[in-house]
Amino acid sequence: ELHATLNLRDVILEEDQVYERDANDYVMGITDTLRVDLCLRTNVLTGIRSLNNQLAGDEQVRVHLVDLDSPLPAIHLHLHRLHQELGPSAASIQMPSLEEFEAWTGEALGKHRMLELVEQLEGAAGDHYSILAELGTVRLSLDYYYAGNRIGIGPAEGTVWSAPIREDAITRNIEHLLGELDGAPALALFGGAHAMKSEGVESPVPGLQSWAHQLADLGVLLYSLRAWSLSGSSYWRGTASEVTGDGDQIQFADGSTLATVLEAAPDAAVTYVDLRSEAHTSTRLGEPFLEVPARTLYDSLVVFRETRPMEHTCP
């Protein structure tokens, strides 16, 4: 619908930047095999691929991956690919094998050696600003790794205290992409906490601001839609779980709740709330945002009465 009405051609995903080429090769039909590291995005990437099969080449949808690279093999792969992309200008730079790169982590100056490699590639990049931006992602990915964080296709490891590193990296990458798009629209699919246009309550993590908040503060025009479900089942990172949403948490100005609305419309599978309208000036989302108008966090809500799990394709 957005493609037809706004000529939307760019979709931003919460995924390691290093795999962007693999994702686009798949959605453009260049390859029929989706890289296993992208298995958590099978549904959306397959959907975009299906749409692209119906579109002319200059109308097809591209995907942009803007997250940190993690765990360590993803960081190494990104460095290796950028080294290859630089070609002759980086011929004198010696690239370690993955085994050598991993061995550096056991050395006292291991991170220093990795950053030296990044600096060498930055020197070879010259004014290739897109490559320099990706090397910036690698730098922050190393900071994130050395802070103890590991994010793959299985359960993530790490600490919330490192979250600002990740949000800053995503912010920088989206800001760079929007500059390249030069005003063209983009659709970003992220977890709801990343998409809050303000933090709502003081975070226990010093310096933490979502990328949406940071871009909003920079004057970027954003429309943030929060979607969730009240019941059903889900599957994510190797874990199946039951969804138990509470419709009473969303409270409207007249004292009614989302549960009240759903009771009055038992056949409605989806509920849409336009938080920008005057009727929702005082709508609240419940704990921990009881004192915060919902419209300061999101522009609208879409609530599904029931949800089903994503297709499970990860090994």
Side-chain angles (χ1 to χ4, degrees):
E1 183 72 15
L2 291 173
H3 183 276
T5 57
L6 297 177
N7 195 31
L8 173 76
R9 293 189 56 213
D10 297 278
V11 175
I12 303 171
L13 298 179
E14 183 183 345
E15 192 55 83
D16 298 33
Q17 190 177 66
V18 62
Y19 303 129
E20 181 168 307
R21 184 189 310 167
D22 304 275
N24 277 300
D25 283 351
Y26 182 72
V27 302
M28 298 292 184
I30 297 172
T31 178
D32 294 330
T33 304
L34 180 63
R35 186 184 181 97
V36 67
D37 304 276
L38 293 170
C39 64
L40 293 174
R41 318 295 166 185
T42 296
N43 289 62
V44 66
L45 292 174
T46 301
I48 294 173
R49 176 186 171 96
S50 178
L51 173 62
N52 280 341
N53 285 339
Q54 307 169 42
L55 301 173
D58 60 351
E59 289 295 317
Q60 291 186 328
V61 176
R62 304 160 294 204
V63 293
H64 307 273
L65 311 187
V66 295
D67 211 335
L68 292 171
D69 303 318
S70 184
L72 197 65
I75 299 175
H76 176 267
L77 178 61
H78 206 165
L79 286 169
H80 177 70
R81 287 183 168 180
L82 292 174
H83 180 260
Q84 287 184 316
E85 190 172 344
L86 286 169
S89 65
S92 63
I93 300 174
Q94 296 298 312
M95 282 296 299
S97 66
L98 175 58
E99 291 74 18
E100 292 174 294
F101 196 69
E102 289 176 329
W104 288 359
T105 63
E107 302 176 7
L109 295 178
K111 183 180 180 182
H112 178 73
R113 293 184 69 178
M114 293 175 181
L115 290 175
E116 279 189 334
L117 178 58
V118 174
E119 288 173 3
Q120 290 174 9
L121 292 171
E122 287 172 336
D127 59 358
H128 289 79
Y129 297 114
S130 291
I131 292 180
L132 289 171
E134 290 189 48
L135 287 167
T137 298
V138 172
R139 280 183 174 275
L140 290 172
S141 297
L142 287 169
D143 288 342
Y144 198 65
Y145 174 83
Y146 273 93
N149 301 282
R150 314 284 187 269
I151 303 178
I153 61 176
E157 302 175 21
T159 169
V160 296
W161 303 106
S162 308
I165 300 173
R166 189 175 170 213
E167 293 300 323
D168 290 349
I170 295 169
T171 302
R172 288 175 42 159
N173 287 332
I174 294 181
E175 189 177 15
H176 175 78
L177 172 62
L178 293 178
E180 291 190 330
L181 294 181
D182 194 26
L187 172 67
L189 304 177
F190 271 78
H194 297 286
M196 294 194 304
K197 297 172 72 171
S198 73
E199 303 315 304
V201 295
E202 184 176 356
S203 172
V205 181
L208 178 59
Q209 280 190 334
S210 67
W211 64 259
H213 187 175
Q214 294 185 54
L215 291 181
D217 283 352
L218 290 172
V220 176
L221 182 61
L222 299 175
Y223 182 92
S224 182
L225 182 154
R226 172 67 189 266
W228 71 85
S229 179
L230 296 177
S231 65
S233 56
S234 66
Y235 189 94
W236 187 244
R237 296 192 180 279
T239 302
S241 59
E242 293 299 310
V243 177
T244 55
D246 184 359
D248 287 321
Q249 284 289 300
I250 300 176
Q251 302 174 0
F252 303 120
D254 61 0
S256 64
T257 67
L258 178 62
T260 309
V261 173
L262 293 174
E263 288 172 5
D267 295 329
V270 184
T271 302
Y272 170 70
V273 182
D274 181 4
L275 295 173
R276 300 174 304 169
S277 72
E278 289 303 312
H280 292 292
T281 302
S282 60
T283 294
R284 298 291 191 270
L285 296 184
E287 292 289 356
F289 306 111
L290 280 175
E291 304 303 319
V292 183
R295 65 195 305 176
T296 65
L297 305 175
Y298 304 107
D299 294 296
S300 64
L301 312 175
V302 169
V303 184
F304 294 88
R305 192 182 289 270
E306 183 178 6
T307 192
R308 293 176 294 171
M310 59 174 275
E311 182 182 0
H312 173 41
T313 63
C314 293

